Amino acid sequence: MQDIINFTNCKQFGGEARFDENNEIQRLTLKIQYNGLCYKLRFGPHYFYHCISEYLGCSIYSALGIPAQKVLLGIYECAGEKLPAVACQCFNVDNLYLMTMDEILYEQQNTDFGENILNEVCALEQQQDFDAHELKQRFWQMFVVDAYIGVEKRLEDNWGCLFDRSTNRIIGLAPVFNCCSGFCSDRLDKDAEFKKIFLGQKIDSWFSLYDDTGYTIDNKPVSYFEFLSRTNNIDCLTALAKITKKIDKIDVNKIIDGIELLSKLEKSNFNKYLTLRKELILKKAQQINPTYRMLVKN
């Protein structure tokens, strides 16, 4: 079980504040040094479940064998309060620079990328900065895992590659980062009624209905289940088969149980949430997608 870290007295290198639509502070970000490493520390008065989602999402990615950003949970004392905080290890150190996919595709002057998921895949195929097969493989891995943990809107600025300034070239894919929008975190932090339902004794199948990918097809929003149950994209369906098998083998409950900032009820409900999404989105899509059934049969 991870100890609760107090980041208050860590060496700081500046920060910034993000405000909501009511001009109230939503999130504070500080650049800090912890155990000799550089982290971005995020916290705020209405940012608790975002912190949990970032930590839990990256931890699940790592457990599934997909490299993810190193994250730590703790607290930061601010204005007399001990606020939950998540520390995310920085990518931009020494000669390394995080080059997000929107930067890569923009530099290629590729106009096909955007919110349309089909155009997104086409743009990954057309770019010439990095191996297209490896990019598409990571894209579909993230799509399936994000369907499992409920990440909303992982668009081009939420994943990318590591660029080495000393050699002026991309050296590989960046670890997965920015999982803070998973697990209905935005609604839990902002909607008191939604939080009340979540903290109730029963989480039913309705909880899996919050299923927005952030992508569109023909200008219409696409849900994870809708896409996975209908697509004939072999790369996507291959990722679905492999990731689902891995999910069955990892001990998600152990990961969740190690989060001391969560109550016993919250831990139980996060576990139920993931169980529902696995069964009602991933496995149900496998059952009804005809191309998937042909794929696994062969």
Side-chain angles (χ1 to χ4, degrees):
M1 183 173 288
Q2 185 193 45
D3 293 332
I4 298 178
I5 304 168
N6 191 324
F7 296 107
T8 309
N9 295 321
C10 290
K11 185 176 180 180
Q12 298 179 13
F13 303 92
E16 61 182 11
R18 176 174 292 183
F19 297 86
D20 62 18
E21 59 273 9
N22 298 317
N23 206 34
E24 295 180 352
I25 291 178
Q26 178 186 23
R27 186 184 80 192
L28 293 163
T29 301
L30 297 175
K31 194 173 182 180
I32 65 167
Q33 186 179 72
Y34 178 77
N35 282 350
L37 298 175
C38 180
Y39 289 86
K40 281 190 176 180
L41 184 72
R42 296 187 176 96
F43 60 97
H46 307 291
Y47 205 69
F48 173 72
Y49 288 103
H50 282 79
C51 293
I52 298 299
S53 179
E54 187 73 77
Y55 175 80
L56 188 51
C58 287
S59 298
I60 288 173
Y61 264 100
S62 295
L64 292 170
I66 301 171
Q69 185 177 38
K70 183 178 179 180
V71 289
L72 303 170
L73 272 179
I75 58 170
Y76 187 86
E77 297 178 28
C78 181
E81 292 186 68
K82 293 182 178 180
L83 296 175
V86 61
C88 308
Q89 189 172 349
C90 296
F91 293 125
N92 298 338
V93 292
D94 299 325
N95 290 318
L96 292 183
Y97 167 76
L98 172 64
M99 180 174 281
T100 59
M101 285 310 303
D102 57 347
E103 292 178 273
I104 293 173
L105 298 179
Y106 179 78
E107 285 193 356
Q108 296 279 328
Q109 296 183 341
N110 191 316
T111 58
D112 285 336
F113 74 96
E115 291 191 356
N116 186 303
I117 190 171
L118 304 180
N119 290 347
E120 178 82 355
V121 176
C122 181
L124 296 178
E125 293 173 343
Q126 292 177 356
Q127 62 75 40
Q128 298 176 2
D129 278 344
F130 195 67
D131 181 75
H133 174 73
E134 194 171 344
L135 282 180
K136 287 192 297 178
Q137 186 179 45
R138 172 61 64 83
F139 176 83
W140 290 122
Q141 286 176 340
M142 291 191 303
F143 189 85
V144 175
V145 180
D146 285 349
Y148 176 51
I149 65 178
V151 166
E152 299 179 22
K153 299 184 179 179
R154 186 185 293 282
L155 300 180
E156 296 87 7
D157 60 344
N158 289 330
W159 69 294
C161 297
L162 293 178
F163 183 85
D164 189 340
R165 290 188 176 97
S166 65
T167 60
N168 202 34
R169 59 187 285 267
I170 293 174
I171 60 172
L173 289 166
V176 175
F177 63 97
N178 205 347
C179 297
C180 65
S181 67
F183 303 93
C184 296
S185 60
D186 198 51
R187 296 177 181 87
L188 286 169
D189 278 330
K190 295 181 179 179
D191 188 334
E193 186 61 30
F194 188 93
K195 182 179 178 181
K196 182 179 178 181
I197 295 172
F198 175 78
L199 294 178
Q201 295 299 318
K202 181 180 179 183
I203 292 183
D204 213 334
S205 59
W206 70 270
F207 211 66
S208 68
L209 298 179
Y210 294 89
D211 191 30
D212 181 22
T213 64
Y215 289 106
T216 64
I217 294 179
D218 296 331
N219 295 318
K220 296 179 181 178
V222 177
S223 75
Y224 285 110
F225 175 72
E226 178 184 8
F227 188 87
L228 292 171
S229 62
R230 296 181 181 180
T231 185
N232 59 4
N233 184 295
I234 300 302
D235 292 332
C236 175
L237 296 176
T238 300
L240 177 61
K242 291 181 178 179
I243 295 297
T244 306
K245 287 181 180 178
K246 289 183 178 181
I247 289 173
D248 288 336
K249 294 179 180 179
I250 66 173
D251 190 348
V252 174
N253 185 58
K254 184 177 180 180
I255 298 173
I256 296 172
D257 194 53
I259 303 177
E260 291 192 6
L261 294 175
L262 291 178
S263 68
K264 185 176 180 179
L265 177 59
E266 286 172 317
K267 291 175 182 180
S268 175
N269 284 347
F270 272 113
N271 206 359
K272 291 177 184 177
Y273 172 85
L274 289 172
T275 299
L276 284 168
R277 293 190 71 89
K278 180 178 72 173
E279 297 299 326
L280 298 178
I281 296 177
L282 301 186
K283 294 200 169 182
K284 189 175 179 181
Q286 291 174 332
Q287 293 168 4
I288 68 176
N289 186 311
T291 306
Y292 181 87
R293 295 202 304 267
M294 290 289 294
L295 178 67
V296 295
K297 184 178 180 180
N298 295 332

